[in-house]
């Protein structure tokens, strides 16, 4: 309808043009306010009468309410034709309901923005808290301060507002803006002296602004204020005690809280940076690039933030028109990357194109180190099919050259050559990461990946590159699992966990946890592995790597199927998000449900599996389906693709799941081709 409503201040309504709607007399506004706080629920006429006249309703009160409603309808929908029912203020059974979406009521928008701010990292959170608090025009339902029907909502929303003020200040402190937080917090505790968290935040802000004596005096005053507000015995709260301990430990130069001391240094350095470095300078672009690179390895939240802001930073660098600057920013993100399916394929494709543009602008005579970095970006971001610029070839067709894949492979090769020539260890580590991402041209490449991982391990140890050492050992962990050398893979897993703990790389544990579930399956069978997989699925659901997590439950559900000889029970997959694996799962489920012709049609159009860590596993799935429905072209293509992986475990090179020996899958394919008939027709009971 284009009408917006206000509760955070006097009751108000605005039209699509932002102009206030004339709501008439106070009783009209009171009815509107009462309907708004009902939140799209019906308010019976009798309840409206009792709320508007709590002492004793006058004669004709029901008629008066109906008159108020009619006037409101005219005010809110001035263009509504006569006799046409209102679509906004609706008669429903015994009463009325105001149909309003969450995006048109200021109180509800405040709540939603606050919820987003609570989940955001500090800089983004400050902006969101500002947006949320800006919706307040005064006290809730300011024109009805004593109305009993409004009291609960007024108290609830006011409590949320006070919490928002404090959480905004907390986010400011986390960004280093302690001085900016002081003034707002002073006003906050002056108006609400019983807010212990507000006092603790004010003392912390003063301390981080270099005013430690004033901070301690504030804490003493806070205790008196709390005693005055709540009575004797409750004046000293835990939040004040913690704040005082932090402040005093900093005064004494104690190392008891090194993290707190480091935070103070960070705050002061960040504030000095903001004061000293000009806005829109190249220095800010370079510093931001370094910050995003470090942020990406801090954990799930940092990885997601870095991924999002990296795109914006690259766009900003390109707008400068400085080819070398843009190339340096694009090529600076040498964060170790191990999972070969892109978390955000669209973003990855944009980065590949940006790197290619930057390389073209530099030309062949540009700085070779910059060129190698750009080529490494192309290789790393072209993981799987993220850089595809044409429809993927079909699994039923003969293999054909794919230009985007050839570009990525050649980029990786050239980057490694340049890095070796320059003898730059960090550059070579980045280039070898790209070579790893492009080492999946054919199935059966586990031995090659193990060699890459071994070289990268030696390089990282020799030149103290701990992030790339973690990457190298994960690469080896996966490759050794694919080769079936579980004892060597175990040793890598232990070393990965040690390095990750020492160097604060929390995401490395995602891969070792999955590997240990896979190992349990290989050594003890599926029944023993099932609870381990349930646990690891729950633990990694929010790890910040959607390319790995989406569809992972389907891969796990396929384990007992593919380790056996039969088709799955479709009900076992009901409700599971197949994610990126949907194209290869659907034909199998169609075959299992008896829809043979539909399964054959799906096989005729399904694309070939991506060139990544799971390509052998997905070719095995296609082969199982093709054998079941007698689709010889896909069966023969799968046979040819899997032949080079004869000595590996299908899927185990991912470090996530193992479908057992590829050799076993090849024997099943050969049997199906020899018989010319399906080899699996019954639903699976579960593999061993």
């Amino acid at each position: 309808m284009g009408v917006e409503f206000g509760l955070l201040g006097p009751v108000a309504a605005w039209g699509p043009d932002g102009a206030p709607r004339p709501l008439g007399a106070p009783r009209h506004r009171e009815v509107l306010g009462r309907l708004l706080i009902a939140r799209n629920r019906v308010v019976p006429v009798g309840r409206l009468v009792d709320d508007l006249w709590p002492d004793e309703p006058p004669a004709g009160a029901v008629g008066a309410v109906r008159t108020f409603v009619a006037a409101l309808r005219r005010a809110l929908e001035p263009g509504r034709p006569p006799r046409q029912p209102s679509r906004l203020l609706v008669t429903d059974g015994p009463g009325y309901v105001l149909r309003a979406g969450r995006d048109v009521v200021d109180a509800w928008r405040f709540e939603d923005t606050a919820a987003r701010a609570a989940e955001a990292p500090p800089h983004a959170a400050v902006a969101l808290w500002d947006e949320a608090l800006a919706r307040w025009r005064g006290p809730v339902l300011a024109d009805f301060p004593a109305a009993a029907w409004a009291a609960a909502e007024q108290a609830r929303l006011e409590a949320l507002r006070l919490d928002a003020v404090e959480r905004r200040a907390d986010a400011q402190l986390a960004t280093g803006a302690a001085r900016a937080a002081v003034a707002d917090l002073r006003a906050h505790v002056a108006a609400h002296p019983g807010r212990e968290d507000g006092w603790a935040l004010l003392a912390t802000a003063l301390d981080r602004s270099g005013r430690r004596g004033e901070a301690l005096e504030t804490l003493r005053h806070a205790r008196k204020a709390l005693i005055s507000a709540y009575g004797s015995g409750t004046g000293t709260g835990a939040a004040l005690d913690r704040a005082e301990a932090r402040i005093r430990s900093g005064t004494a130069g104690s190392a008891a809280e090194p993290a707190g001391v480091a935070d103070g240094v960070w705050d002061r350095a960040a504030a000095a940076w903001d004061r000293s470095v000009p806005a829109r300078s190249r220095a800010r672009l370079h510093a931001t690039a370094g910050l995003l690179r470090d942020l990406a390895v801090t954990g799930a939240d940092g990885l997601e933030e870095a991924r999002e802001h990296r795109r914006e930073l690259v766009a900003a660098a390109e707008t400068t028109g400085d080819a070398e600057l843009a190339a340096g920013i694009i090529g600076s993100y040498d964060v170790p990357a191990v999972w070969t399916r892109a978390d955000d394929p669209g973003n990855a494709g944009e980065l590949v194109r940006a790197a290619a543009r930057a390389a073209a602008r530099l030309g062949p005579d540009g700085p070779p180190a910059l060129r190698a970095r750009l080529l490494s970006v192309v290789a790393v971001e072209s993981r799987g099919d993220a850089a595809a610029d044409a429809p993927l070839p079909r699994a039923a067709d003969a293999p054909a050259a794919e230009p985007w894949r050839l570009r990525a492979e050649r980029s990786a090769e050239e980057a490694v050559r340049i890095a070796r020539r320059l003898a730059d260890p960090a550059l070579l580590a980045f280039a070898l990461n790209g070579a790893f991402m492009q080492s999946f041209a054919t199935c059966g490449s586990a031995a090659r990946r193990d060699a890459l991982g071994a070289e990268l391990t030696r390089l990282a140890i020799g030149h103290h590159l701990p992030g790339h050492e973690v990457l190298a050992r994960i690469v080896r962990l996966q490759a050794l699992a694919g080769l079936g050398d579980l004892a060597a893979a175990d040793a890598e897993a232990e070393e990965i966990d040690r390095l990750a703990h020492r160097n604060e790389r929390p995401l490395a544990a995602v891969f070792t946890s999955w590997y240990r579930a896979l190992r349990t399956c290989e050594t003890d069978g599926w029944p023993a592995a099932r609870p381990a997989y349930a646990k690891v699925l729950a633990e990694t659901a929010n790890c910040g790597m959607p390319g790995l997590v989406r569809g992972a439950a389907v891969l796990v559900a396929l384990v007992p199927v593919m380790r056996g000889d039969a088709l799955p029970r479709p009900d076992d997959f009901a409700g599971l998000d197949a994610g990126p694996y949907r194209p290869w799962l659907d034909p199998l489920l169609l075959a299992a449900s008896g829809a043979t012709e539909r399964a054959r049609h799906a096989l005729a159009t399904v694309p070939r599996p991506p060139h990544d860590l799971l390509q052998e596993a997905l070719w095995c799935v296609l082969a199982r389906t093709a054998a079941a429905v007698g689709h010889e072209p896909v069966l023969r293509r799968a046979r040819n693709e899997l032949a080079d992986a004869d000595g590996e475990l299908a899927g185990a090179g991912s470090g996530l799941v193992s479908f057992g020996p590829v050799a076993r899958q090849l024997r099943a394919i050969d049997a199906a081709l020899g018989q010319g008939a399906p080899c699996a027709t019954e639903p699976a009971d579960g593999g061993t």
Side-chain angles (χ1 to χ4, degrees):
M1 298 296 296
V3 181
E4 297 188 4
F5 299 96
L7 291 173
L8 305 180
V11 176
W14 300 274
D17 59 355
R21 288 288 166 89
L23 298 178
R27 286 298 194 193
H28 299 170
R29 296 196 303 278
E30 190 169 7
V31 169
L32 179 58
R34 179 62 184 85
L35 293 174
L36 281 169
I37 70 167
R39 293 179 173 248
N40 286 298
R41 293 188 295 272
V42 175
V43 181
V45 173
R47 173 53 63 90
L48 284 171
V49 168
D50 291 341
D51 287 341
L52 267 62
W53 294 281
D55 296 328
E56 184 176 350
V62 171
V65 167
R66 288 174 177 156
T67 300
F68 302 156
V69 168
L72 280 172
R73 284 171 170 163
R74 289 192 296 273
L76 297 175
E77 300 176 82
R80 179 169 55 89
R83 302 184 184 280
Q84 180 176 314
S86 173
R87 291 183 294 151
L88 188 57
L89 205 171
V90 179
T91 301
D92 191 339
Y96 302 103
V97 59
L98 188 73
R99 304 290 188 197
R102 290 195 65 83
D103 59 338
V104 300
V105 180
D106 60 0
W108 306 347
R109 294 175 71 182
F110 162 74
E111 292 171 349
D112 291 346
T113 306
R116 288 163 50 212
E119 298 295 326
H123 278 286
V126 171
L128 288 168
W129 288 122
D130 285 341
E131 180 184 338
L133 290 165
R135 302 197 185 284
W136 287 72
R137 297 169 290 113
V140 180
L141 295 156
D143 29 6
F144 306 104
W149 57 264
E153 188 70 353
Q154 287 167 329
R156 188 185 71 84
L157 287 168
E158 176 63 11
L160 290 176
R161 185 187 71 82
L162 296 178
D163 183 62
V165 170
E166 290 167 2
R167 296 187 74 167
R168 175 186 180 275
D170 196 27
Q172 281 184 297
L173 292 177
T175 66
R179 293 177 185 276
V182 168
D184 287 342
L185 285 168
R186 282 197 189 282
H188 176 65
V189 297
H192 306 280
R195 300 287 295 189
E196 182 181 353
D197 285 347
W199 285 110
L201 285 163
L202 174 57
T204 302
L206 288 166
D207 176 49
R208 294 187 183 180
S209 301
R211 298 151 70 179
R212 188 153 296 166
E214 194 175 347
L216 293 171
E217 179 59 32
T218 294
L219 290 172
R220 286 190 287 272
H221 181 68
R223 290 186 171 91
K224 294 178 182 178
L226 290 176
I227 290 174
S228 176
Y230 298 113
S232 179
T234 61
T236 302
L240 299 184
D241 292 342
R242 287 193 299 270
E244 183 169 2
R246 284 194 301 270
I247 292 168
R248 289 194 182 280
S249 68
T251 301
S254 168
E257 292 185 293
V261 174
D263 286 345
V265 174
W266 170 275
D267 292 341
R268 291 189 291 275
W273 174 267
D274 275 340
R275 291 193 303 271
S276 305
V277 180
R280 296 182 295 279
S281 66
R282 285 168 169 74
R284 283 185 179 259
L285 286 173
H286 282 295
T288 303
L291 182 61
L292 291 182
R293 184 177 58 226
D294 292 341
L295 183 65
V297 298
T298 61
D301 292 342
L303 178 60
E304 290 176 351
E305 287 290 326
R307 189 161 53 236
E308 179 62 29
H309 296 309
R310 182 186 176 196
R311 175 170 48 195
E312 299 168 2
L313 180 65
V314 168
E318 286 195 296
T319 61
T320 66
D322 185 328
E324 285 198 14
L325 173 66
I329 296 297
I330 295 167
S332 67
Y333 194 83
D334 54 358
V335 176
V338 67
W339 191 244
T340 49
R341 179 178 290 279
D343 294 318
D344 182 346
N347 190 18
E350 288 180 19
L351 289 166
V352 168
R353 290 187 287 275
R357 287 194 299 270
R361 291 190 187 107
L362 284 179
D365 298 325
L370 273 184
R371 178 170 177 79
R373 286 192 167 274
L374 292 171
L375 292 169
S376 296
V377 170
V378 171
V380 170
E381 297 299 337
S382 296
R383 59 189 80 182
D385 293 318
D389 53 12
L392 299 183
R394 297 183 304 179
D397 296 338
E402 301 173 48
W404 69 88
R405 284 202 47 75
L406 294 176
R407 286 196 297 270
E409 291 169 12
R410 289 166 182 164
S411 294
E413 292 167 1
E414 186 180 350
V416 170
R417 282 197 302 272
I418 295 173
R420 291 195 196 284
R421 187 174 75 244
L422 296 176
D424 182 332
L427 182 59
L428 180 56
F430 190 17
L432 289 174
N433 197 168
F436 162 72
M437 286 295 179
Q438 297 307 317
S439 64
F440 299 87
T442 63
C443 293
S445 58
R448 179 187 173 197
R449 297 200 303 276
D450 185 37
L452 274 171
E455 179 183 0
L456 187 50
T457 301
R458 292 190 297 271
L459 179 73
I461 292 172
H463 296 278
H464 191 60
L465 302 171
H468 278 95
E469 185 181 354
V470 173
L471 163 67
R473 293 189 181 278
I474 294 175
V475 168
R476 292 209 69 203
L477 170 74
Q478 295 169 336
L480 291 165
L483 293 168
D485 189 347
L486 299 184
D490 288 345
E492 293 294 345
E494 292 297 325
E495 190 63 16
I496 290 164
D497 286 341
R498 186 189 70 79
L499 285 166
H501 176 74
R502 181 180 180 85
N503 295 287
E504 297 181 326
R505 296 292 193 269
L507 293 177
V510 171
F511 297 97
T512 55
S513 296
W514 275 95
Y515 165 72
R516 291 188 174 103
L518 179 158
R519 194 194 196 291
T520 300
C521 191
E522 279 298 314
T523 57
D524 302 327
W526 168 248
R530 187 199 302 267
Y533 272 122
K535 184 173 183 287
V536 77
L537 280 168
E539 289 176 346
T540 61
N542 298 304
C543 68
M545 293 184 283
L548 183 151
V549 171
R550 283 203 66 220
V554 158
L555 293 175
V556 171
L558 282 168
V559 169
V561 176
M562 299 304 297
R563 293 175 75 86
D565 297 314
L567 296 176
R569 289 188 294 260
D571 287 349
D572 291 345
F573 293 80
L576 296 183
D577 176 16
Y581 309 112
R582 173 67 63 189
W584 302 281
L585 176 68
D586 280 349
L588 180 65
L589 296 183
L590 287 170
S593 65
T596 301
E597 287 307 314
R598 290 175 61 197
R600 286 177 59 80
H601 176 73
L603 283 175
T605 57
V606 69
R608 55 111 182 103
H611 293 275
D612 63 18
L613 284 160
L614 285 159
Q615 62 177 331
E616 291 94 349
L618 294 178
W619 276 114
C620 289
V621 171
L622 287 179
R624 178 68 58 88
T625 309
V629 300
H631 196 292
E632 189 170 324
V634 168
L635 202 55
R636 291 194 180 279
R637 173 80 186 274
R639 178 67 176 81
N640 292 336
E641 295 288 344
L642 290 169
D644 289 338
D646 192 5
E648 297 184 12
L649 299 178
S654 67
L656 269 62
V657 295
S658 171
F659 293 169
V662 172
R664 180 176 173 277
Q665 306 288 339
L666 288 170
R667 288 196 299 271
I669 295 172
D670 289 340
L673 288 170
Q675 295 168 4
C679 70
T681 57
E682 297 298 326
D685 291 324
T688 58

